[in-house]
Amino acid sequence: MNRRQFLTAAALTGLASACGSTPATDPAAFRTQLRVPPLLEPSRGEDGTLAFALTMQRGRSALLPGEPVETWGFNGPYLGPTIRASRGDKVRMTVTNRLAETSTVHWHGMRLPAGMDGGPHQPIEPGATWSPHWTVDQPATTSWYHPHPHGATARHVYRGLAGMFIVDDGPAELPSRYGVDDIPLILQDKVLDPAPDPLKGTFGILGDHMLVNGTYRGLLNVRTERVRFRVLNGSNARRYHLTFADGRSFHVVGGDAGPLAAPVEVDRVSLTPGERVEVVVSFTGGEQVLLRTVSGSDDIDEGDFDLVKIVAAPRLAASPPLPGRLAGAPAPVVVPPQATVRRFRLNGHDAINGQEMDMSRIDEVVPAGAVEIWEVENTVYAHNFHIHEVAFQVLDVDGAKPEKWAAGHKDTVYVPPKSTVRLAVQFGKFTDPGTPYMYHCHLLRHEDSGMMGQFVIVEPGTENQVPRTIPLHHHT
Ligand code: C2O
Ligand code: CU
């Protein structure tokens, strides 16, 4: 078959689009300037504490073509500002709830005491203010913050409550000028229905309209040879397989919980809800390219969608060379010979080890500073697994090592259907036998329906003295 015959045959069988070689959208349609969330300016207290103020509020946004819809945001109508702090900083968050219902704000990826974590046990009533504080002490990361009220997380996040939380550690060797060559990309998918039911269907909301930082069909102008993108999957259920339309390669420099030891060259990365990846992409003057997600083999990654168009200035400013090794990469998690192994079986879409989430039940008690093996087994549907407070490394997925770019420190991981993921989990040092951290599927419909459990971190040696039920105060 010659090329012409092949193309005709391909058109007839629909092969051309199945190859993903045809752009899903005309690049000219990408013309709205990509929104970059503003940096949140802290005020500095007398003891040097950085105080950040966040207000959860309602607003209206025209996210998609058509009428504006009701949206929620932090300090604005949709999404929230980016918080940036350095390792060693003392921080205090002042979170005020101006919504009509109780919510919480969880610092996803932060290593902090359980009472500051912002999970379902730290509710903020309408009109109330919650002020957690801690000392930032962890490797450089791209983390984020979002509500975590039990049973309502999917709705609150889908409405728009999410923001980035960047931790710096040591001198910048990668592009780090926020909004110039260090740019957040918050990926979300939406449906046209202004108020969809996030608990409907097996996975909840899977949209076919893609937003990046709340911008539909955005255009981003870059002016430097290299740009670092901090990509967050802030979607309720969708799994992304990110590539550039021209197939170019780029470098992964960091994952959820810290830099990789060295940059890893790839032409595609995959992200499930809650996961982050930091990549450095090179550009040449005057070019333009689309970032897109391509279909995979699961129910949660169907569809090819272009996400954002990147346009490089004719003349690009020089960027520092990509380092061969990345400073500040955390040491590998070393599993001791007698490590505790805990097993978690994800059942259907609403239970772990046969039980639905119960806020008064402590499922696991972990000694401070432990390194354990957590085995997460999946039965039917696609899931992922997030553990609060910790950093982990994936040991294997059904016996196979993770891809190099995904082998660094993480806090959220994809768990394919009918497979087992083994994690080497490093727990933190803050003890509180009465206040649990969460572990759960980060497909928010599943989390809300009960695929979540609770663990406490306690003084080593006191594991057996810890009460396994906790009194609930005024939670709903
Ligand atoms: Cu991103 Cu338990 O959450
Ligand atoms: Cu799930």
Side-chain angles (χ1 to χ4, degrees):
M1 192 163 26
N2 67 28
R3 183 171 158 78
R4 192 192 180 95
Q5 286 166 327
F6 172 77
L7 285 178
T8 314
L12 286 173
T13 57
L15 217 128
S17 55
C19 300
S21 55
T22 323
T25 329
D26 177 1
F30 286 72
R31 50 174 173 256
T32 308
Q33 206 63 41
L34 183 80
R35 184 175 168 266
V36 174
L39 276 181
L40 183 58
E41 274 304 321
S43 60
R44 195 175 278 274
E46 270 173 33
D47 62 347
T49 299
L50 300 179
F52 293 93
L54 291 172
T55 300
M56 311 170 86
Q57 59 191 69
R58 290 185 290 176
R60 293 184 79 75
S61 315
L63 295 177
L64 301 174
E67 288 302 298
V69 294
E70 178 175 336
T71 54
W72 294 357
F74 292 96
N75 303 0
Y78 191 76
L79 294 178
T82 297
I83 296 170
R84 191 161 199 169
S86 296
R87 190 171 198 162
D89 283 345
K90 284 193 251 172
V91 297
R92 174 182 295 276
M93 306 294 160
T94 312
V95 187
T96 302
N97 181 357
R98 293 248 162 76
L99 305 172
E101 56 185 285
T102 301
S103 192
T104 84
V105 176
H106 166 55
W107 319 102
H108 180 137
M110 288 289 140
R111 316 286 312 257
L112 38 57
M116 310 293 168
D117 191 46
H121 293 274
Q122 289 88 42
I124 316 170
E125 312 285 334
T129 296
W130 177 59
S131 304
H133 54 89
W134 69 95
T135 299
V136 174
D137 185 15
Q138 60 187 88
T141 55
T142 298
S143 292
W144 64 304
Y145 59 95
H146 63 79
H148 215 301
H150 186 42
T153 297
R155 192 161 45 83
H156 288 206
V157 172
Y158 186 81
R159 281 284 194 195
L161 291 168
M164 247 185 207
F165 196 142
I166 296 173
V167 173
D168 295 311
D169 177 19
E173 51 175 9
L174 294 168
S176 59
R177 286 170 297 165
Y178 187 80
V180 177
D181 58 8
D182 180 350
I183 295 174
L185 300 177
I186 303 174
L187 311 182
Q188 297 176 311
D189 57 338
K190 300 287 167 185
V191 291
L192 281 173
D193 182 344
D197 178 0
L199 299 183
K200 219 169 101 188
T202 306
F203 299 102
I205 295 167
L206 277 166
D208 52 3
H209 285 70
M210 302 293 145
L211 299 183
V212 179
N213 301 342
T215 312
Y216 179 63
R217 293 187 178 166
L219 177 158
L220 172 70
N221 294 102
V222 298
R223 311 196 293 274
T224 58
E225 289 172 348
R226 269 178 281 283
V227 177
R228 172 203 214 161
F229 293 105
R230 300 172 184 267
V231 191
L232 158 67
N233 181 343
S235 305
N236 281 46
R238 178 170 291 281
R239 182 177 189 219
Y240 294 80
H241 304 290
L242 300 170
T243 66
F244 286 95
D246 61 2
R248 75 181 55 199
S249 62
F250 49 96
H251 287 88
V252 177
V253 293
D256 302 334
L260 297 180
V264 175
E265 189 174 350
V266 296
D267 55 20
R268 170 173 161 157
V269 290
S270 302
L271 285 186
T272 57
E275 286 185 288
R276 292 85 68 204
V277 68
E278 290 183 29
V279 300
V280 174
V281 185
S282 298
F283 295 99
T284 54
E287 69 168 344
Q288 57 179 55
V289 65
L290 286 162
L291 175 67
R292 63 170 49 144
T293 180
V294 295
S295 248
S297 51
D298 283 334
D299 301 315
I300 54 171
D301 57 12
E302 269 168 22
D304 293 355
F305 299 101
D306 292 329
L307 302 170
V308 58
K309 183 166 79 172
I310 301 165
V311 177
R315 286 237 183 101
L316 296 174
S319 296
L322 198 61
R325 314 277 313 162
L326 296 166
V333 179
V334 178
V335 182
Q338 299 303 318
T340 300
V341 179
R342 298 183 204 252
R343 296 194 172 81
F344 302 88
R345 196 174 151 91
L346 308 177
N347 313 107
H349 52 59
D350 55 10
I352 298 178
N353 291 338
Q355 289 188 300
E356 279 184 23
M357 161 77 169
D358 178 345
M359 282 185 56
S360 66
R361 185 185 70 231
I362 301 297
D363 297 283
E364 307 291 338
V365 178
V366 177
V371 172
E372 301 190 344
I373 294 180
W374 282 28
E375 281 188 16
V376 187
E377 185 195 347
N378 189 355
T379 52
V380 190
Y381 304 113
H383 295 295
N384 73 3
F385 198 73
H386 168 49
I387 313 175
H388 287 207
E389 200 288 325
V390 310
F392 59 67
Q393 282 185 286
V394 179
L395 291 169
D396 43 53
V397 180
D398 276 344
K401 290 249 165 301
E403 286 183 77
K404 242 180 157 182
W405 69 267
H409 286 218
K410 293 178 60 57
D411 58 46
T412 308
V413 65
Y414 177 53
V415 189
K418 302 189 181 64
S419 64
T420 297
V421 174
R422 290 197 319 134
L423 309 171
V425 188
Q426 188 178 65
F427 291 86
K429 54 178 193 270
F430 303 105
T431 58
D432 185 346
T435 311
Y437 297 102
M438 307 293 128
Y439 53 86
H440 56 90
C441 177
H442 217 291
L443 273 60
L444 301 181
R445 185 244 190 280
H446 297 173
E447 172 184 341
D448 279 347
S449 334
M451 190 173 270
M452 177 152 69
Q454 311 197 100
F455 70 100
V456 289
I457 297 184
V458 303
E459 216 44 70
T462 66
E463 293 89 318
N464 295 328
Q465 301 149 30
V466 172
R468 303 297 290 247
T469 54
I470 48 172
L472 298 182
H473 304 294
H474 48 286
H475 312 306
T476 40

PDB file of all heavy atoms in Angstrom, residues 259-275:
ATOM      1  N   PRO A 259      12.510  16.294  44.921  1.00  0.00           N
ATOM      2  CA  PRO A 259      13.228  16.168  43.651  1.00  0.00           C
ATOM      3  C   PRO A 259      13.678  14.729  43.401  1.00  0.00           C
ATOM      4  O   PRO A 259      13.897  13.967  44.342  1.00  0.00           O
ATOM      5  CB  PRO A 259      14.460  17.059  43.849  1.00  0.00           C
ATOM      6  CG  PRO A 259      14.192  17.899  45.054  1.00  0.00           C
ATOM      7  CD  PRO A 259      13.216  17.152  45.892  1.00  0.00           C
ATOM      8  N   LEU A 260      13.821  14.362  42.138  1.00  0.00           N
ATOM      9  CA  LEU A 260      14.478  13.108  41.785  1.00  0.00           C
ATOM     10  C   LEU A 260      15.978  13.295  41.995  1.00  0.00           C
ATOM     11  O   LEU A 260      16.472  14.415  42.052  1.00  0.00           O
ATOM     12  CB  LEU A 260      14.210  12.768  40.313  1.00  0.00           C
ATOM     13  CG  LEU A 260      12.754  12.517  39.907  1.00  0.00           C
ATOM     14  CD1 LEU A 260      12.673  12.201  38.413  1.00  0.00           C
ATOM     15  CD2 LEU A 260      12.157  11.374  40.725  1.00  0.00           C
ATOM     16  N   ALA A 261      16.716  12.190  42.074  1.00  0.00           N
ATOM     17  CA  ALA A 261      18.165  12.291  42.246  1.00  0.00           C
ATOM     18  C   ALA A 261      18.801  12.937  41.021  1.00  0.00           C
ATOM     19  O   ALA A 261      19.769  13.688  41.128  1.00  0.00           O
ATOM     20  CB  ALA A 261      18.753  10.900  42.497  1.00  0.00           C
ATOM     21  N   ALA A 262      18.237  12.677  39.858  1.00  0.00           N
ATOM     22  CA  ALA A 262      18.744  13.257  38.607  1.00  0.00           C
ATOM     23  C   ALA A 262      17.568  13.416  37.654  1.00  0.00           C
ATOM     24  O   ALA A 262      16.588  12.668  37.749  1.00  0.00           O
ATOM     25  CB  ALA A 262      19.795  12.326  37.997  1.00  0.00           C
ATOM     26  N   PRO A 263      17.653  14.377  36.724  1.00  0.00           N
ATOM     27  CA  PRO A 263      16.563  14.532  35.758  1.00  0.00           C
ATOM     28  C   PRO A 263      16.393  13.261  34.925  1.00  0.00           C
ATOM     29  O   PRO A 263      17.373  12.594  34.610  1.00  0.00           O
ATOM     30  CB  PRO A 263      17.038  15.694  34.872  1.00  0.00           C
ATOM     31  CG  PRO A 263      18.041  16.434  35.697  1.00  0.00           C
ATOM     32  CD  PRO A 263      18.713  15.399  36.552  1.00  0.00           C
ATOM     33  N   VAL A 264      15.158  12.927  34.596  1.00  0.00           N
ATOM     34  CA  VAL A 264      14.867  11.736  33.787  1.00  0.00           C
ATOM     35  C   VAL A 264      14.166  12.194  32.509  1.00  0.00           C
ATOM     36  O   VAL A 264      13.146  12.884  32.568  1.00  0.00           O
ATOM     37  CB  VAL A 264      13.959  10.745  34.553  1.00  0.00           C
ATOM     38  CG1 VAL A 264      13.575   9.572  33.658  1.00  0.00           C
ATOM     39  CG2 VAL A 264      14.643  10.250  35.823  1.00  0.00           C
ATOM     40  N   GLU A 265      14.743  11.811  31.374  1.00  0.00           N
ATOM     41  CA  GLU A 265      14.161  12.230  30.096  1.00  0.00           C
ATOM     42  C   GLU A 265      12.998  11.310  29.717  1.00  0.00           C
ATOM     43  O   GLU A 265      13.111  10.091  29.794  1.00  0.00           O
ATOM     44  CB  GLU A 265      15.229  12.200  28.998  1.00  0.00           C
ATOM     45  CG  GLU A 265      14.731  12.839  27.715  1.00  0.00           C
ATOM     46  CD  GLU A 265      15.813  12.951  26.650  1.00  0.00           C
ATOM     47  OE1 GLU A 265      16.996  12.709  26.961  1.00  0.00           O
ATOM     48  OE2 GLU A 265      15.450  13.275  25.508  1.00  0.00           O
ATOM     49  N   VAL A 266      11.888  11.921  29.337  1.00  0.00           N
ATOM     50  CA  VAL A 266      10.676  11.169  28.969  1.00  0.00           C
ATOM     51  C   VAL A 266       9.995  11.892  27.805  1.00  0.00           C
ATOM     52  O   VAL A 266      10.364  13.020  27.473  1.00  0.00           O
ATOM     53  CB  VAL A 266       9.662  11.128  30.149  1.00  0.00           C
ATOM     54  CG1 VAL A 266      10.211  10.375  31.349  1.00  0.00           C
ATOM     55  CG2 VAL A 266       9.241  12.542  30.548  1.00  0.00           C
ATOM     56  N   ASP A 267       8.993  11.239  27.211  1.00  0.00           N
ATOM     57  CA  ASP A 267       8.143  12.000  26.296  1.00  0.00           C
ATOM     58  C   ASP A 267       6.681  11.929  26.729  1.00  0.00           C
ATOM     59  O   ASP A 267       5.784  12.379  26.028  1.00  0.00           O
ATOM     60  CB  ASP A 267       8.315  11.554  24.834  1.00  0.00           C
ATOM     61  CG  ASP A 267       8.079  10.079  24.647  1.00  0.00           C
ATOM     62  OD1 ASP A 267       7.429   9.457  25.516  1.00  0.00           O
ATOM     63  OD2 ASP A 267       8.545   9.533  23.622  1.00  0.00           O
ATOM     64  N   ARG A 268       6.476  11.347  27.937  1.00  0.00           N
ATOM     65  CA  ARG A 268       5.098  11.205  28.429  1.00  0.00           C
ATOM     66  C   ARG A 268       5.143  10.942  29.918  1.00  0.00           C
ATOM     67  O   ARG A 268       6.002  10.198  30.398  1.00  0.00           O
ATOM     68  CB  ARG A 268       4.474  10.032  27.689  1.00  0.00           C
ATOM     69  CG  ARG A 268       3.165   9.566  28.208  1.00  0.00           C
ATOM     70  CD  ARG A 268       2.608   8.508  27.264  1.00  0.00           C
ATOM     71  NE  ARG A 268       1.594   7.727  27.953  1.00  0.00           N
ATOM     72  CZ  ARG A 268       0.634   7.053  27.317  1.00  0.00           C
ATOM     73  NH1 ARG A 268       0.587   7.028  26.004  1.00  0.00           N
ATOM     74  NH2 ARG A 268      -0.248   6.380  28.011  1.00  0.00           N
ATOM     75  N   VAL A 269       4.260  11.575  30.650  1.00  0.00           N
ATOM     76  CA  VAL A 269       4.090  11.251  32.071  1.00  0.00           C
ATOM     77  C   VAL A 269       2.601  11.090  32.352  1.00  0.00           C
ATOM     78  O   VAL A 269       1.768  11.704  31.684  1.00  0.00           O
ATOM     79  CB  VAL A 269       4.655  12.336  33.022  1.00  0.00           C
ATOM     80  CG1 VAL A 269       6.173  12.358  32.982  1.00  0.00           C
ATOM     81  CG2 VAL A 269       4.087  13.710  32.714  1.00  0.00           C
ATOM     82  N   SER A 270       2.282  10.261  33.333  1.00  0.00           N
ATOM     83  CA  SER A 270       0.884  10.026  33.684  1.00  0.00           C
ATOM     84  C   SER A 270       0.629  10.497  35.107  1.00  0.00           C
ATOM     85  O   SER A 270       1.477  10.336  35.975  1.00  0.00           O
ATOM     86  CB  SER A 270       0.567   8.536  33.570  1.00  0.00           C
ATOM     87  OG  SER A 270       0.840   8.087  32.253  1.00  0.00           O
ATOM     88  N   LEU A 271      -0.537  11.057  35.323  1.00  0.00           N
ATOM     89  CA  LEU A 271      -0.886  11.600  36.644  1.00  0.00           C
ATOM     90  C   LEU A 271      -2.315  11.240  36.998  1.00  0.00           C
ATOM     91  O   LEU A 271      -3.237  11.513  36.217  1.00  0.00           O
ATOM     92  CB  LEU A 271      -0.797  13.129  36.647  1.00  0.00           C
ATOM     93  CG  LEU A 271       0.545  13.853  36.680  1.00  0.00           C
ATOM     94  CD1 LEU A 271       0.290  15.346  36.821  1.00  0.00           C
ATOM     95  CD2 LEU A 271       1.423  13.356  37.817  1.00  0.00           C
ATOM     96  N   THR A 272      -2.517  10.678  38.184  1.00  0.00           N
ATOM     97  CA  THR A 272      -3.874  10.462  38.694  1.00  0.00           C
ATOM     98  C   THR A 272      -4.207  11.608  39.650  1.00  0.00           C
ATOM     99  O   THR A 272      -3.326  12.373  40.045  1.00  0.00           O
ATOM    100  CB  THR A 272      -3.991   9.105  39.406  1.00  0.00           C
ATOM    101  OG1 THR A 272      -3.018   9.045  40.456  1.00  0.00           O
ATOM    102  CG2 THR A 272      -3.765   7.952  38.435  1.00  0.00           C
ATOM    103  N   PRO A 273      -5.477  11.730  40.047  1.00  0.00           N
ATOM    104  CA  PRO A 273      -5.869  12.870  40.884  1.00  0.00           C
ATOM    105  C   PRO A 273      -5.025  12.994  42.154  1.00  0.00           C
ATOM    106  O   PRO A 273      -4.827  12.015  42.873  1.00  0.00           O
ATOM    107  CB  PRO A 273      -7.330  12.581  41.205  1.00  0.00           C
ATOM    108  CG  PRO A 273      -7.818  11.835  40.011  1.00  0.00           C
ATOM    109  CD  PRO A 273      -6.660  10.952  39.624  1.00  0.00           C
ATOM    110  N   GLY A 274      -4.552  14.204  42.406  1.00  0.00           N
ATOM    111  CA  GLY A 274      -3.742  14.469  43.590  1.00  0.00           C
ATOM    112  C   GLY A 274      -2.254  14.378  43.332  1.00  0.00           C
ATOM    113  O   GLY A 274      -1.460  14.929  44.095  1.00  0.00           O
ATOM    114  N   GLU A 275      -1.840  13.681  42.277  1.00  0.00           N
ATOM    115  CA  GLU A 275      -0.404  13.554  41.991  1.00  0.00           C
ATOM    116  C   GLU A 275       0.142  14.829  41.361  1.00  0.00           C
ATOM    117  O   GLU A 275      -0.564  15.550  40.669  1.00  0.00           O
ATOM    118  CB  GLU A 275      -0.148  12.386  41.030  1.00  0.00           C
ATOM    119  CG  GLU A 275      -0.290  11.019  41.652  1.00  0.00           C
ATOM    120  CD  GLU A 275       0.108   9.925  40.669  1.00  0.00           C
ATOM    121  OE1 GLU A 275      -0.649   9.678  39.722  1.00  0.00           O
ATOM    122  OE2 GLU A 275       1.175   9.323  40.849  1.00  0.00           O
TER     123      GLU A 275
END
